[in-house]
Structure formats: C-alpha cells, structure tokens
Amino acid sequence: MDEDLSDNRNECNMRSGSSSFCYMKGSSVFTSKETINNMEVKSDDLGLAQYKDLLPYSKSSDVTEVFLKDVFDIMLKYIFKSYDRKSKILDFHHPHQFLQSIEGFSLELTGEAESLHQILVDCSDTLKYGVKTGHPRFFNQLSSGLDIVSLAAEWITAAANTNMFTFEIAPVFVLMEGIVLQRMRQIIGWEKGDGIFSPGGTINNFYAVMLARQKILPDVKQSGMRNAPDLVMFQSKHAHYSNRRPAAVLGIGMKNCIDVKVDEVGRMLPEDLELKVLQAKVKNKVPFYVSATSGTTVLGAFDPIPEIAAICKKYNLWLHIDAAWGGGVLMSRKHRHFVDGIELADSVTWNPHKIMGIVLQCSALLVRHKGALEACNSMKANYLFQQDKHYDVSYDTGDKTMQCGRHVDVFKLWLAWRAKGDAGFEEHVDKCVELSKYLAQKIKLSPGFELAYAEPKYTNVCFWYYPPSIRNINDLKVRSEKLHKVAPAIKARMMTNGSLMVSYQPLDDKVNFFRNVISNPAVRKEDIDFLIKEIEKLGCDL
C-alpha cells in the first residue's frame, strides 16, 4: 500500500529543506515543478509562500498554478487509492487522538497564517485520515462510490462559485435545472409540475409536508397554526426519521405523526393506514398527508403505491413518495415495477446521489402541481426578485425555495447524464441489484451466516453472522443476547483494520444484524466474496 504525503515529512525535509513540499509518486520522493513564462517555479518555494502570494492578492499567477496543480496531484492520488483494493478504507483513530494531534496533523486553529506548504500537507492529511467512501469494500451507506464525471462537475461548480436563486447570476445552471427536473418528472409520468434541488432528502421531505399543509390550510402562511385544527400525518413505521421531523418543526406535533404497521418484509400495510385515518377522524382531527417509502433505509422495502394512493384519493390526503433511496429504479426497465403507481403521487423525493452514483449532494423534490412551491414559500423580496428586470423573471427560481443561498447541485447530474445516457444509469442500477442477489446466495451457502429477512429484492441485504461459540446454544434468549453483541464487535474490528465497512442495527424484535448496501459502481463479485471471508475472519473467535 502506498504511503501518504504526511508519512514522508522527514524524508521530504531531508531532501529539500524543512520549508519545502514533496509527495510520493510510485516509490520515489520528488519535488513538484512547473515551467511558467520561462521561469521555473518549484513547490519548494511554497514553504515561504502564503495565501497573499495567490490570486487575487498577487498579480503573479505562477504560484497559484503550482499550488493548484499540487492540490490536484493530492486529490488524484487519493482517488487512485480509493479504487485500490489493497489500500485501507480508513486509518482509524479515536476522537481524542485527533484532538490531541496525530503525527503532526493538528486540527487546532492558532490564529496564525500558515505557509502554502503547510496548507498542502493539511489537504493531504485531511484525506489520509478520512474514510474512502469510493473504496469497493465500503458498503456502509446508501451513498457510496466516486463517479469521476460528477466529481469533475463538482470541481467546475466550485470554480464557478455562484448561487442558484436568479437567472441573473446563474443563467446556465438555472436553465439546466429546469431541463433536468422536467426530464425527471417525465420519467415519473408527469407532463407538468414543478421541482427543486435541495441539500438532501430530509429537506425535500420537509418541503412535501409544507406543501400539503399549504393545500389544506391556505391561510397558514399568513395566520400560522394558532387557530388551525389538529392535523395528522402518516408514514410507515420503517420510514426514514426525516419524515417525522416536520411534525416537530411545523407545529403539527409528534403525537399527530402516526406510524403505520408494516408487513413481514417492511412494506406499509394499506389496511392499517386506512384504519388509522378513520381513527384520527373520529377524534375530530384532520388527516392531510401520507408519506410512502420507495426503498426503506434498512430493509430496502417499497410500499405499495397504488393501494396507498387509492386511500389518499378517498380521504383527500396529499401523497408523498420518499424515493430518496429507491428512486433510481425509475431508470431501470427491469426494476421500475418496484415503484408502480408513482405517477399517482403529489410529490416525490429522489436522490441521484444514492443508487445512481452521483457525487454528494444531489437531491431533487418533484411536484405534480405547478405553482405549489411558489405559493408555499414565496416572500417576494424586491431587492432580489425584481419584476422589472430586462429578461423573463419567471426563470428566477429562488423565491419558491426555503433557502436563499442554494448550491449548484444540478450540474453533477446533468453532466453525468450527458456522459452515461439513460442506459448507463440503467446498467448501474441493474448491476447493484444483481450483486446484492449474489451476496444473498453467498449468505445462504456460508456456514454461520443467516439472512435476517426474506431474500431481498433491492440492494439492501440484512444478515447475521454466528461465531462458532454460539451456534450450538439451545437457549434462544441466551443465544440472542450473545448474537446482539457480535455485529458491534466485528464492526469495531473492521474499522480498526480498515479492511471493510458494513453498517449494523437492530430493528423491531430482531437483535443487531448487518445491513449491506451496494451503490458503488466499483464493486465486483470478488468484493462480495471478500466481505464474507473478512467477516468470518474478524468474528470467528468471538
């Protein structure tokens, strides 16, 4: 495994002086140099250079170019290591170790300006001690992988450094967002509607509740909730916690945020939803909103949309689909049936930064009702959204969002879509599902492993590993108590070794189990084989 820049400070200092910067390439240490305007500029010089030697503080561009190219070299090395199966996923240290500084890497802010050499070392160290979420054996989160095209888009976005609130300052990005959102709505099955990119699925689920409340209480924006009836909202008991948070923030109250029962594989039970809607009405409360989940966080379950939509239509409830995790199946002809009926929804959360592999963050709210976002959120600030501009101000999208400043997230998706086309996304989604089926079969055939739920349809695979010491325990209570401790112990060893990362959790009456998810395009069958062997190696002596 290659060593990091920070591991070679002493060797670098011996070769080029304590103020110089050097880094590894292959097995040799060397000093970066560029030839600019017939003058040779070396990274050695950055030991004495500071931020005022960079643009725009300095008229000279040579130091800026060398500095940025060195930063790029650090990032490129990190990217290559992220794909290297021989490298560690992380170099684990405890929080107190970071706070006390590690191998010269200090998080402390002294207030003093450091040299550009030190800034480069800080960049390298920051990546060295982080988690390589692009590593083929990182299965810990719903978002993983490192898509090179969307990564390039993020760099371009940072260089542009603009805001998404008006066409005036982001003309290309604003138009691009409209085109991408229209395409996403069409894929859902809507010809008209609205949408926005926001900082994540949590915010988009929040938007949906606001829209639903605005529909049933049009005066709430002006008058507030003081004289409003008791509103009631519903979601699956396995729904993401972000579907409950709006109840606390919007004055609805957590007691009016009702969990609906699920079946044996985690899908919402429509009959229990209708029962709880009727129970709320008997109590003179006002049901107004249902969130169905397409791809639950733990089990990857898809709620039955047509049946839920029929109940929502019957009782005039807003139907939101939280497809943050599962929305990517819309790109797959083979697996789109998981979200049959999604076109019946009023709003949809869809996160391309998950199963579609776009670099974080990239999350869209799609709305079937045109003008709903503006009606709900518009503040008509005339110092920003002037109506007498010389262009069509309908393209100024900022007034329909909760935010003012908004990051350019659409460019990552737009550029990746241009590069891959529909077929590229479809191939990726299908591959992730197939690899998860392969894992499920491996679990069935591997001694000591057991699926925690029925064989999965999506990429969530939930399973237990039983060390030999507890496989023959007949007392189920004792066996469960011991099994509950296995996953946390193995996870600790995973992180200490840096060899693998898989999440774990309990759910309902089931003790801690591993939840493996695949969304990284770099994963291959050999990584699944490694996962099984590594968990067995780390846990066989427990």
Side-chain angles (χ1 to χ4, degrees), residues 43-312:
S43 288
D44 304 47
D45 304 323
L46 299 185
L48 299 176
Q50 292 192 318
Y51 81 97
K52 285 191 176 179
D53 296 303
L54 299 172
L55 293 171
Y57 305 101
S58 170
K59 294 181 180 179
S60 174
S61 63
D62 53 355
V63 175
T64 300
E65 184 167 350
V66 171
F67 174 74
L68 289 177
K69 286 185 175 180
D70 283 341
V71 170
F72 179 78
D73 285 341
I74 290 169
M75 290 190 294
L76 198 60
K77 179 183 176 184
Y78 174 80
I79 291 167
F80 291 155
K81 289 190 72 173
S82 291
Y83 293 129
D84 183 2
R85 288 170 172 80
K86 295 179 182 178
S87 70
K88 287 185 175 184
I89 294 174
L90 77 161
D91 183 3
F92 178 78
H93 291 78
H94 290 280
H96 72 274
Q97 293 174 300
F98 279 114
L99 295 174
Q100 292 168 4
S101 80
I102 301 170
E103 301 171 349
F105 178 43
S106 174
L107 300 178
E108 184 180 0
L109 286 173
T110 64
E112 298 297 321
E114 300 286 355
S115 70
L116 294 183
H117 156 74
Q118 182 59 49
I119 300 307
L120 290 168
V121 172
D122 289 344
C123 289
S124 183
D125 284 346
T126 298
L127 291 175
K128 169 182 166 58
Y129 294 111
V131 177
K132 298 181 182 72
T133 59
H135 196 287
R137 291 165 184 173
F138 177 84
F139 301 102
N140 210 70
Q141 312 304 139
L142 303 182
S143 53
S144 65
L146 195 56
D147 178 77
I148 297 300
V149 174
S150 60
L151 173 65
E154 184 75 340
W155 292 346
I156 297 296
T157 297
N161 193 31
T162 193
N163 204 313
M164 285 294 289
F165 47 61
T166 62
F167 175 86
E168 179 179 341
I169 63 166
V172 177
F173 294 135
V174 164
L175 294 177
M176 194 179 284
E177 184 176 63
I179 289 168
V180 171
L181 290 169
Q182 181 182 25
R183 182 90 169 92
M184 295 174 82
R185 287 194 303 269
Q186 288 172 343
I187 290 171
I188 288 172
W190 303 331
E191 287 303 317
K192 298 180 180 179
D194 207 343
I196 206 77
F197 281 86
S198 84
T202 292
I203 301 299
N204 286 328
N205 292 340
F206 194 93
Y207 268 121
V209 179
M210 288 180 64
L211 291 168
R213 187 184 66 166
Q214 180 73 22
K215 180 184 177 184
I216 198 167
L217 298 175
D219 195 43
V220 70
K221 185 174 172 181
Q222 297 297 328
S223 303
M225 294 286 288
R226 182 179 299 275
N227 298 314
D230 263 358
L231 298 180
V232 184
M233 52 190 285
F234 307 87
Q235 67 284 313
S236 149
K237 66 179 294 189
H238 287 178
H240 191 271
Y241 72 87
S242 64
N243 287 284
R244 298 174 178 85
R245 180 172 283 157
V249 178
L250 294 175
I252 294 165
M254 294 300 293
K255 69 178 183 179
N256 290 324
C257 186
I258 310 299
D259 282 348
V260 180
K261 292 179 182 178
V262 298
D263 65 13
E264 68 280 0
V265 292
R267 297 173 300 194
M268 182 190 289
L269 290 171
E271 58 269 29
D272 190 57
L273 170 62
E274 185 163 22
L275 173 63
K276 285 174 174 166
V277 168
L278 292 171
Q279 288 173 341
K281 292 172 77 70
V282 166
K283 295 176 183 177
N284 292 319
K285 296 186 177 185
V286 180
F288 80 109
Y289 175 89
V290 175
S291 177
T293 305
S294 290
T296 56
T297 304
V298 178
L299 301 185
F302 287 77
D303 291 339
I305 298 173
E307 293 90 336
I308 295 170
I311 294 169
C312 290

Side-chain angles (χ1 to χ4, degrees), residues 264 451-453 464 484 505-513:
E264 68 280 0
L451 289 172
Y453 288 84
W464 289 292
H484 187 64
Q505 63 282 300
L507 188 68
D508 298 334
D509 61 345
K510 296 185 185 292
V511 299
N512 280 327
F513 54 84

Side-chain angles (χ1 to χ4, degrees), residues 274-488:
E274 185 163 22
L275 173 63
K276 285 174 174 166
V277 168
L278 292 171
Q279 288 173 341
K281 292 172 77 70
V282 166
K283 295 176 183 177
N284 292 319
K285 296 186 177 185
V286 180
F288 80 109
Y289 175 89
V290 175
S291 177
T293 305
S294 290
T296 56
T297 304
V298 178
L299 301 185
F302 287 77
D303 291 339
I305 298 173
E307 293 90 336
I308 295 170
I311 294 169
C312 290
K313 183 177 181 180
K314 183 176 180 180
Y315 297 103
N316 192 30
L317 311 177
W318 183 284
L319 175 57
H320 176 64
I321 308 295
D322 180 2
W325 173 221
V329 300
L330 286 160
M331 305 303 297
S332 167
R333 287 167 292 182
K334 187 175 182 179
H335 301 294
R336 184 190 167 97
H337 65 91
F338 291 170
V339 291
D340 280 351
I342 194 170
E343 72 280 358
L344 302 172
D346 294 286
S347 55
V348 173
T349 292
W350 180 356
N351 286 8
H353 68 231
K354 291 184 176 172
I355 193 73
M356 290 172 68
I358 303 302
V359 169
L360 280 165
Q361 62 193 12
C362 187
S363 176
L365 174 75
L366 293 311
V367 185
R368 183 156 55 96
H369 313 285
K370 189 169 179 61
L373 280 167
E374 187 172 6
C376 187
N377 298 305
S378 175
M379 294 288 112
K380 301 190 183 302
N382 59 16
Y383 59 85
L384 186 58
F385 305 114
Q386 305 95 330
Q387 298 303 295
D388 55 357
K389 293 178 180 179
H390 68 290
Y391 60 82
D392 184 350
V393 296
S394 68
Y395 289 99
D396 288 352
T397 56
D399 205 24
K400 65 182 181 183
T401 73
M402 286 187 286
Q403 301 167 253
C404 179
R406 190 161 62 90
H407 188 258
V408 178
D409 291 322
V410 67
F411 186 53
K412 295 186 287 286
L413 178 56
W414 182 86
L415 200 64
W417 215 326
R418 295 269 286 187
K420 298 179 179 182
D422 294 354
F425 288 126
E426 179 179 39
E427 181 182 354
H428 172 57
V429 171
D430 290 350
K431 176 189 173 186
C432 290
V433 175
E434 290 307 310
L435 283 171
S436 295
K437 289 180 179 179
Y438 177 75
L439 172 59
Q441 290 303 311
K442 292 282 292 186
I443 288 168
K444 289 180 178 181
L445 298 173
S446 301
F449 288 82
E450 180 188 352
L451 289 172
Y453 288 84
E455 187 169 339
K457 292 184 178 180
Y458 199 38
T459 82
N460 306 51
V461 181
C462 301
F463 63 95
W464 289 292
Y465 171 70
Y466 292 82
S469 64
I470 67 173
R471 291 178 194 175
N472 297 320
I473 295 176
N474 294 322
D475 188 318
L476 294 180
K477 182 178 179 182
V478 173
R479 192 179 191 217
S480 291
E481 288 174 352
K482 290 182 178 294
L483 181 61
H484 187 64
K485 299 175 183 178
V486 170

